[in-house]
Amino acid sequence: MAFTGCVDGDRAQQYLEMANLNVETAVGLFMEHQHQGNTSASSQIGDALNDVRAPDRTRTMRLMDDVMTANHHFAEMDDQDIVMNAFSNVDARAAVNAAVAVAASADDASSKDNDQEAKSEDVAGSLSTMFAAPSHLIHKGGGFQGARAVAKDARRWLLVNLQSDSEFSCHALNRDVWRDELVENLIREGFIFWQAMDDSQDGRTYAERYKVFEFPHIAIIDPRTGRSMWKKEGWNQVKPFTSENFAEMAMDFCSRHSFDKEPLPPPKKSTISNNANGERKRPFMNESEHMKVAMAASLRNSNEDIDNDEDEYIMEDDDDGKEVQCLGTQKQTIEEKQQTIEEKKQTSIQRLLSIIVGDEPAAGARIQLRMPDATKLIRKFETNDDVNTIYAFVAQNNEDAKKGKEFMLMAGFPPKSLMGDINKSIESCGLNGQAVTVRWKD
């Protein structure tokens, strides 16, 4: 190591191992490699210096908004300022790019906010439309009394709906019931519809008069008398009032009531009250009223005496020599009429039970029968069969009818009795695909 000038012991050890521990051979190998390394390094350095190209020409650039301003600015700048601004231009361009990016992101955010606001407005608009009152069905003008007058002239029932804005069931009623297609058709055909809020003047007057306690409130009013014929109020979403419920109720109501009949009289209020001891006391009556009560009691006693002696028939002569029937004979006449009616009933039921209805055809007029016990029967009939066949089918498939209980069939809206069309064909009456309601006669 003193001869070669090598100061690295590990490197000297490697050369000795390469020369198989021969010192001379190891020294020769070291000196040979040392000379080649210096030559290659020098040559590599020289080649690297020969490959270096000349520097590029220096250029300066600047972003300017106005060309005239730029020329004036360059005229006032010296060479050193131009060189310094060449480096500052890089930062300016980056700042411009960053500003453009920020502006673009701000525009995107603004457009997103506008889109979100538009969507919110669309949602709010759709909700307000969804729960809005059915203005196309509601009678406008004149309030409750105006709607009642129109219903009376049109011979239609007055349908009233009183709502409260704080009850969601009222809004659900607008959405789910009044906008149903079947319900709309039923209202247009048989009702005049009046709707009001509970905080309006007409709403408060109606609620006070008809004793409304819960909302929503639905009622059917007879416009001739102003009497409430049917009402329902205060349901919830657990057991809601659906469009099917209303349609069934409306058809049932119209089948039971008609403008061809006299309006029902208002219920009589009892004039008998209780005294301080809890005993019922009679109202004060004058002398003539006492005489009327005594005569009525006397007539009742006479009727009871005659009823106890059914074999006694008294014939008396009046001043003109004409015979006058007493109560016993009149009672017998009523019993005979009732017996005749019962015989006619039995004859009618027996006639229906004797009609051969036949098997259900594969194709024909499909009719849905709604029985009095709320069950539904669906059957097909021949289109040329008469309506009497439907009567016979009902009589033969109901136990009460078999025993003689009278019934009637009603179809259409407003529902009308099919008794007048009993000899017409099913096709000519337009019953194919219709629902026919079976009602017991009172």
Side-chain angles (χ1 to χ4, degrees):
M1 294 176 64
F3 177 75
T4 60
C6 180
V7 296
D8 188 355
D10 294 335
R11 190 175 183 185
Q13 184 65 32
Q14 290 177 358
Y15 279 101
L16 286 174
E17 291 177 354
M18 291 172 59
N20 198 14
L21 301 179
N22 190 332
V23 177
E24 294 180 358
T25 305
V27 170
L29 289 172
F30 175 80
M31 297 300 294
E32 183 178 356
H33 283 87
Q34 187 71 15
H35 176 71
Q36 291 179 356
N38 294 334
T39 304
S40 62
S42 300
S43 62
Q44 290 177 357
I45 293 173
D47 294 338
L49 292 174
N50 293 332
D51 291 338
V52 175
R53 64 180 180 82
D56 293 336
R57 183 180 178 181
T58 302
R59 294 181 297 175
T60 59
M61 300 178 64
R62 182 177 179 83
L63 249 71
M64 301 298 293
D65 293 334
D66 188 276
V67 177
M68 297 300 296
T69 304
N71 294 335
H72 177 72
H73 183 67
F74 274 114
E76 296 178 354
M77 295 174 60
D78 55 9
D79 294 340
Q80 184 176 1
D81 292 336
I82 293 176
V83 173
M84 294 301 295
N85 285 328
F87 292 99
S88 64
N89 286 339
V90 178
D91 296 334
R93 187 177 303 150
V96 171
N97 293 336
V100 172
V102 171
S105 62
D107 292 339
D108 292 340
S110 177
S111 62
K112 289 181 180 179
D113 293 339
N114 293 334
D115 293 341
Q116 189 67 25
E117 292 178 358
K119 290 180 180 178
S120 300
E121 293 177 356
D122 293 341
V123 171
S126 62
L127 287 176
S128 61
T129 304
M130 183 186 303
F131 293 100
S135 57
H136 59 292
L137 295 176
I138 299 175
H139 172 78
K140 300 177 179 66
F144 173 78
Q145 295 299 335
R148 178 184 171 185
V150 172
K152 184 178 180 180
D153 295 338
R155 294 174 61 84
R156 294 186 181 184
W157 305 108
L158 177 58
L159 178 63
V160 175
N161 176 214
L162 195 62
Q163 296 194 347
S164 175
D165 191 56
S166 61
E167 293 290 340
F168 178 75
S169 299
C170 298
H171 304 287
L173 188 69
N174 292 336
R175 178 193 63 187
D176 302 332
V177 178
W178 302 140
R179 279 182 170 73
D180 183 80
E181 183 178 0
L182 176 59
V183 172
E184 289 185 2
N185 294 332
L186 291 175
I187 293 176
R188 288 193 179 99
E189 292 294 330
F191 298 92
I192 296 297
F193 185 46
W194 182 73
Q195 186 185 82
M197 302 302 293
D198 64 323
D199 55 357
S200 64
Q201 181 62 39
D202 281 343
R204 287 193 297 266
T205 303
Y206 176 89
E208 182 179 356
R209 178 179 178 184
Y210 288 93
K211 303 297 186 291
V212 178
F213 300 103
E214 295 181 281
F215 300 96
H217 166 90
I218 301 178
I220 298 178
I221 307 297
D222 188 340
R224 299 169 293 182
T225 61
R227 181 181 180 183
S228 177
M229 307 290 290
W230 175 92
K231 76 172 182 177
K232 184 177 180 62
E233 61 183 22
W235 62 88
N236 52 43
Q237 295 303 306
V238 177
K239 192 177 180 181
F241 186 67
T242 63
S243 57
E244 292 80 6
N245 298 141
F246 177 83
E248 185 174 355
M249 179 279 303
M251 290 187 289
D252 179 74
F253 177 86
C254 292
S255 66
R256 293 178 179 272
H257 304 86
S258 173
F259 275 91
D260 297 332
K261 300 179 182 179
E262 291 295 327
L264 295 176
K268 295 182 179 180
K269 296 182 179 180
S270 176
T271 58
I272 300 176
S273 58
N274 295 336
N275 57 19
N277 298 326
E279 299 176 351
R280 296 171 67 86
K281 60 179 181 180
R282 299 288 179 178
F284 174 78
M285 293 186 294
N286 54 31
E287 184 177 356
S288 61
E289 291 175 342
H290 276 293
M291 289 294 295
K292 291 180 181 179
V293 172
M295 291 177 63
S298 177
L299 290 175
R300 285 198 300 270
N301 294 333
S302 299
N303 291 340
E304 291 175 359
D305 294 339
I306 294 175
D307 291 343
N308 294 332
D309 191 4
E310 296 180 357
D311 296 333
E312 182 181 1
Y313 301 97
I314 303 173
M315 301 297 292
E316 295 181 354
D317 294 336
D318 60 4
D319 295 338
D320 297 333
K322 297 181 180 179
E323 293 182 346
V324 179
Q325 292 182 344
C326 293
L327 295 176
T329 306
Q330 185 177 4
K331 178 178 181 294
Q332 179 65 20
T333 304
I334 295 174
E335 290 179 352
E336 289 176 354
K337 289 182 179 179
Q338 291 178 348
Q339 184 178 358
T340 303
I341 293 174
E342 292 296 331
E343 290 176 354
K344 288 182 179 179
K345 287 183 181 180
Q346 294 297 330
T347 303
S348 176
I349 294 298
Q350 291 174 1
R351 180 177 56 83
L352 291 176
L353 294 176
S354 63
I355 296 177
I356 301 176
V357 179
D359 297 332
E360 183 178 6
R366 184 177 181 273
I367 298 177
Q368 181 186 22
L369 296 168
R370 301 173 63 184
M371 306 301 289
D373 58 354
T375 59
K376 297 180 182 179
L377 297 178
I378 299 177
R379 194 187 192 278
K380 295 178 182 177
F381 298 88
E382 296 290 349
T383 55
N384 56 355
D385 286 345
D386 52 27
V387 177
N388 198 31
T389 306
I390 305 177
Y391 274 89
F393 174 79
V394 174
Q396 297 173 16
N397 288 272
N398 186 275
E399 294 299 327
D400 293 332
K402 290 180 181 179
K403 296 177 182 179
K405 191 171 184 179
E406 284 191 309
F407 63 90
M408 58 182 175
L409 301 182
M410 308 193 74
F413 188 85
K416 66 176 183 177
S417 175
L418 296 177
M419 182 58 68
D421 302 329
I422 195 168
N423 294 321
K424 295 182 180 180
S425 66
I426 295 175
E427 183 178 11
S428 63
C429 293
L431 297 178
N432 185 16
Q434 297 296 320
V436 176
T437 304
V438 183
R439 296 288 181 197
W440 298 122
K441 288 186 177 180
D442 298 333

